[in-house]
Amino acid sequence: MDTRELTALLTPDGLRLLDEVGGIESTDDAARAVSRLRAAGHSPDLVSAVVGQARLRVRGAAKFGPFAERMLFTRAGLEQATRLSIAARHAGRFRAAGLDRVADLGCGIGGDALGLAGLGIRVHAVDADEVTAAIAAYNLAPFGETVTVAHGRAEDTDLDQTDAVWLDPARRTAGHSETRQVSSNEWSPSLEWVFALLESTPGGVKLGPGFDRERIPDDVEAQWISADGSTIELVLWSGVLARENVRRAALVVRGTDAWELTAPADSPDVEQRELGAFVHEPDGAIIRARLIGEVARALQAGMLAPGIAYLTSDAALTSPFVSSFRVREELPADPKKLAQALRARGIGTLEIKKRGVDVDPAVLRKKLSLRGDASATLLLTRIGSKRLALLADRV
């Protein structure tokens, strides 16, 4: 959405039309809506804005639930926005620390500011892109004077009236639709500026989960977060927002439930052991935080192979930090022999998981020509140069 489309949309008639159109899910529905609205005499800019927003509101429900029905988005802004449930957890940390005034620097469409304002925290939200800042202002308008929104650079923001900062540096090229990732030396604001600010001001900075661990400052808490099976972000917390004696944390969120594992440093891996009755796959946040050893000791498990994130044990134990599988048997790793073995067992529904092997599950599935009413999980991995194909069931 460009400035012309936003101007056309942000009028009483434009917003009323958007509400009347409702959600648009498919390309065919979008085409019919365009034809209907153009035939009714609406301008091309308004039609484009309304139909685009109607589609984005449907997609936005995955991150913002029913709130998406009254929000505005850009495509890039929605893709990069923090899920509201996660933003609320971030906001809870600010409130628990007694920080009442937060500057949200790089606010995007306002996802994190929504979480902060929802807990009664006063927010000054800033974004360098004019259209994005206008959309954030619309999304945050229900909070009244609790939130102010400005179009400007994070580096130029006056922080004298704030207790803490929240930062989400732009890690992609500018734009509202198709964008691409840029190297860390092109982030805005720069990583050096962000880290310098965190040295003097309590705050949190949202980064990608694959951020180079060697660049994490020693005096911050690094918290990796997964949501519903996907590792979505790394947050570095500074000042009073960093918990005492915690430098590594993994937060695992599934639906409305959450579990967290913390440690003062990376956890050493446990020793390798022979394949047992169970195989455990650590959650992505646990792997990124390098807390596999902590989980392994709780499960009385060992590494199935050095450097590969599969654990194995004989104890019938599991935890929210792993997906656990009961091993049925080891099958031949060769695709032809594997296909014969699976057909002999009548397995027609197969979940394929792999670690440490160069296998495309979609390509392998076609080669297996599955038939039958039974279901199972296939774990593909290796121990040294030996490939393993383990038939298992989820616990």
Side-chain angles (χ1 to χ4, degrees):
M1 181 163 54
D2 58 25
T3 304
R4 293 196 323 275
E5 292 176 353
L6 181 63
T7 300
L9 182 63
L10 288 180
T11 63
D13 288 341
L15 294 171
R16 190 179 305 114
L17 184 61
L18 175 58
D19 289 338
E20 290 173 359
V21 167
I24 296 177
E25 297 191 12
S26 70
T27 302
D28 289 343
D29 288 341
R32 284 190 288 268
V34 168
S35 297
R36 184 174 70 253
L37 295 175
R38 290 297 304 275
H42 298 293
S43 71
D45 286 341
L46 180 57
V47 171
S48 177
V50 165
V51 173
Q53 287 299 315
R55 297 201 72 178
L56 288 172
R57 281 182 168 180
V58 171
R59 291 173 52 192
K63 286 189 173 182
F64 295 96
F67 291 97
E69 295 176 3
R70 66 146 308 277
M71 295 176 67
L72 298 180
F73 303 97
T74 65
R75 188 189 308 172
L78 177 57
E79 290 174 354
Q80 297 165 45
T82 303
R83 304 182 190 204
L84 186 55
S85 60
I86 302 300
R89 294 185 184 278
H90 297 333
R93 188 180 289 223
F94 284 91
R95 186 175 67 175
L99 302 171
D100 299 322
R101 301 172 301 173
V102 176
D104 183 355
L105 305 178
C107 67
I109 61 171
D112 285 293
L114 280 171
L116 291 162
L119 292 185
I121 296 170
R122 299 186 68 84
V123 184
H124 180 55
V126 178
D127 200 273
D129 180 78
E130 184 177 11
V131 169
T132 303
I135 287 177
Y138 176 86
N139 291 337
L140 296 165
F143 294 100
E145 295 182 356
T146 300
V147 179
T148 57
V149 181
H151 167 222
R153 299 169 69 243
E155 300 93 326
D156 299 330
T157 303
D158 183 357
L159 300 177
D160 288 344
Q161 301 302 313
T162 59
D163 302 322
V165 293
W166 173 259
L167 301 114
D168 187 358
R171 300 182 292 280
R172 305 185 70 86
T173 52
H176 309 130
S177 54
E178 301 298 334
T179 62
R180 61 174 176 80
Q181 288 187 337
V182 296
S183 62
S184 59
N185 59 2
E186 298 178 83
W187 290 2
S188 179
S190 71
L191 199 57
E192 292 73 20
W193 184 87
V194 168
F195 286 168
L197 180 60
L198 292 182
E199 288 181 0
S200 61
T201 307
V205 54
K206 173 184 169 183
L207 303 170
F211 181 75
D212 183 359
R213 297 172 109 263
E214 297 299 319
R215 303 185 71 180
I216 297 175
D218 294 333
D219 57 349
V220 302
E221 174 190 331
Q223 180 191 47
W224 283 264
I225 301 171
S226 71
D228 299 322
S230 297
T231 310
I232 58 173
E233 65 186 43
L234 161 65
V235 179
L236 303 182
W237 298 101
S238 74
V240 295
L241 292 166
R243 291 169 289 188
E244 187 175 357
N245 203 36
V246 174
R247 288 296 176 264
R248 299 291 180 260
L251 177 64
V252 176
V253 180
R254 296 193 187 98
T256 59
D257 296 322
W259 303 265
E260 189 175 30
L261 189 63
T262 64
D266 294 354
S267 173
D269 285 347
V270 293
E271 295 294 320
Q272 181 182 358
R273 58 151 291 175
E274 293 292 323
L275 175 65
F278 297 90
V279 169
H280 312 278
E281 181 180 36
D283 182 88
I286 295 291
I287 297 171
R288 291 287 189 181
R290 294 187 183 169
L291 298 179
I292 296 175
E294 293 290 320
V295 174
R297 283 180 276 275
L299 296 174
Q300 301 174 25
M303 302 297 296
L304 184 58
I308 296 178
Y310 276 143
L311 303 172
T312 186
S313 70
D314 287 315
L317 299 171
T318 187
S319 90
F321 301 119
V322 299
S323 296
S324 294
F325 305 87
R326 185 187 298 273
V327 178
R328 290 194 204 177
E329 58 184 318
E330 182 179 347
L331 297 180
D334 175 77
K336 290 184 178 179
K337 295 179 179 178
L338 178 58
Q340 294 173 354
L342 293 171
R343 284 196 295 270
R345 290 154 179 77
I347 295 174
T349 302
L350 187 68
E351 176 189 26
I352 302 175
K353 300 183 70 65
K354 57 117 178 184
R355 282 195 179 276
V357 291
D358 184 16
V359 174
D360 184 334
V363 173
L364 177 61
R365 188 181 301 279
K366 290 181 179 179
K367 293 180 179 179
L368 296 177
S369 301
L370 299 169
R371 293 192 298 272
D373 298 326
S375 61
T377 296
L378 182 66
L379 305 173
L380 301 173
T381 188
R382 61 178 173 80
I383 299 177
S385 60
K386 179 187 178 184
R387 290 199 169 204
L388 268 70
L390 303 175
L391 192 65
D393 298 293
R394 278 187 175 268
V395 175

